[in-house]
Amino acid sequence: MSALIEFLDVCKTYQMGDTVVRAADHVSMRIDKGEFVAIVGQSGSGKSTCMNIIGCLDVPSSGVYLLGGRDVGKLDKNELSEIRNEMLGFIFQQYNLLPRLSLLENVEVPLMYAGMSRAQRRERAREALTMVGLGDKLQHKPSQLSGGQQQRVSIARALAGNPAVILADEPTGALDSRTGREVLKMLKDLHEAGNTVVLITHDNSIAMQAQRIIRLEDGCIVYDGDAHAPEAVVSPGLAGKAETV
Ligand SMILES: Nc1ncnc2c1ncn2[C@@H]1O[C@H](COP(=O)(O)OP(=O)(O)OP(=O)(O)O)[C@@H](O)[C@H]1O
Ligand SMILES: [Mg+2]
């Protein structure tokens, strides 16, 4: 197994007046190619902080983050956006689609930034939209779709560049439970097709759809292992007590 994502003693601190907030507190973990991992924790536990670091949107205050073996903390701004384009596909709670563009054009945007030719972009975008079941709506605008369909467009956009890692931050947060399940099923299918998927959520039942759970509390990893082990799911509010028992 080759490590795709590796955190070595990563800390992220924020200065708030006189106090220092440790949003990531000596986090070490490794995610290998082909895994489906959920990063879970209550509000303020450090999920977005870790997601931003994994996604090369931010760098650690100390410690090392290796993505595909490259030390992200040593990259300059241009190299960061390059590695982001090349290695990562993002899915957000808010789909972040551009309202004036067609679905096809929306999916093409990141491919354009990656420097792909127009013809190749078109082809890839069409394939990705077909894969998520929207092949018959290529020229539609996002506003002509349901929430679940819009999230599928954002999945197609994440996939189209064939990224090493698909990074999904609360992807079902804005969806009703049935549509949310469909989106989760799609992430599971992507994993089964060989993709590496990292899912960020505050919801245990969603996290349990992954193979492995990394649970954060106050910026620290308090569980890292099988998603189906009984210790993987600790009910909110009991988490702190369970630690001290
Ligand atoms: N830019 C910032 N400046 C100061 N403190 C911050 C900043 N960003 C995050 N924090 C703090 O770091 C901690 C972790 O925040 P983070 O956003 O990673 O939590 P989260 O698990 O994503 O929460 P949520 O589920 O609410 O999105 C919190 O205490 C938060 O207040
Ligand atoms: Mg967050």
Side-chain angles (χ1 to χ4, degrees):
M1 275 289 178
S2 51
L4 199 51
I5 289 171
E6 202 162 13
F7 273 39
L8 303 168
D9 213 29
V10 165
C11 294
K12 181 76 195 179
T13 51
Y14 297 103
Q15 188 76 41
M16 296 288 285
D18 289 344
T19 51
V20 175
V21 178
R22 250 178 213 287
D25 195 0
H26 300 281
V27 175
S28 293
M29 55 140 176
R30 167 188 166 146
I31 298 174
D32 289 335
K33 192 169 174 334
E35 283 197 272
F36 183 7
V37 180
I39 297 179
V40 68
Q42 288 176 280
S43 181
S45 58
K47 301 181 300 292
S48 293
T49 302
C50 287
M51 146 108 190
N52 289 341
I53 294 174
I54 293 172
C56 303
L57 301 163
D58 203 351
V59 291
S61 309
S62 68
V64 175
Y65 169 40
L66 301 171
L67 175 59
R70 288 176 76 190
D71 185 344
V72 174
K74 293 215 165 75
L75 305 180
D76 65 28
K77 245 188 156 169
N78 286 336
E79 291 170 323
L80 276 177
S81 60
E82 245 174 60
I83 199 171
R84 207 182 296 134
N85 259 321
E86 190 184 303
M87 299 280 291
L88 298 153
F90 291 93
I91 301 166
F92 298 102
Q93 173 171 351
Q94 295 308 333
Y95 328 114
N96 298 343
L97 301 175
L98 298 166
R100 288 175 192 279
L101 300 187
S102 68
L103 305 193
L104 204 49
E105 289 163 337
N106 263 284
V107 175
E108 279 185 49
V109 170
L111 303 178
M112 191 173 73
Y113 285 118
M116 202 178 275
S117 76
R118 198 185 144 79
Q120 207 184 355
R121 282 195 321 250
R122 205 60 359 167
E123 183 55 32
R124 281 280 188 87
R126 184 171 302 153
E127 273 171 24
L129 283 163
T130 305
M131 204 186 305
V132 300
L134 293 170
D136 57 341
K137 296 192 167 52
L138 300 177
Q139 298 304 337
H140 281 54
K141 296 278 162 60
S143 62
Q144 295 172 301
L145 304 181
S146 69
Q149 288 171 330
Q150 291 187 50
Q151 190 57 304
R152 283 197 260 153
V153 177
S154 95
I155 293 174
R157 182 182 54 189
L159 278 180
N162 197 21
V165 182
I166 295 167
L167 201 50
D169 191 8
E170 303 280 3
T172 62
L175 303 174
D176 63 73
S177 57
R178 193 177 70 88
T179 316
R181 277 198 299 277
E182 279 171 25
V183 165
L184 273 178
K185 167 84 171 55
M186 208 161 270
L187 291 178
K188 272 184 158 176
D189 290 348
L190 287 172
H191 166 241
E192 270 155 30
N195 288 286
T196 309
V197 181
V198 179
L199 168 67
I200 282 123
T201 179
H202 67 279
D203 185 330
N204 281 323
S205 62
I206 289 173
M208 281 179 70
Q209 304 300 310
Q211 275 180 316
R212 170 179 163 200
I213 286 181
I214 296 177
R215 177 177 298 279
L216 293 172
E217 258 177 50
D218 296 331
C220 299
I221 294 181
V222 294
Y223 178 83
D224 181 354
D226 187 348
H228 301 102
E231 333 64 286
V233 184
V234 182
S235 48
L238 291 176
K241 288 177 200 153
E243 272 294 295
T244 55
V245 170

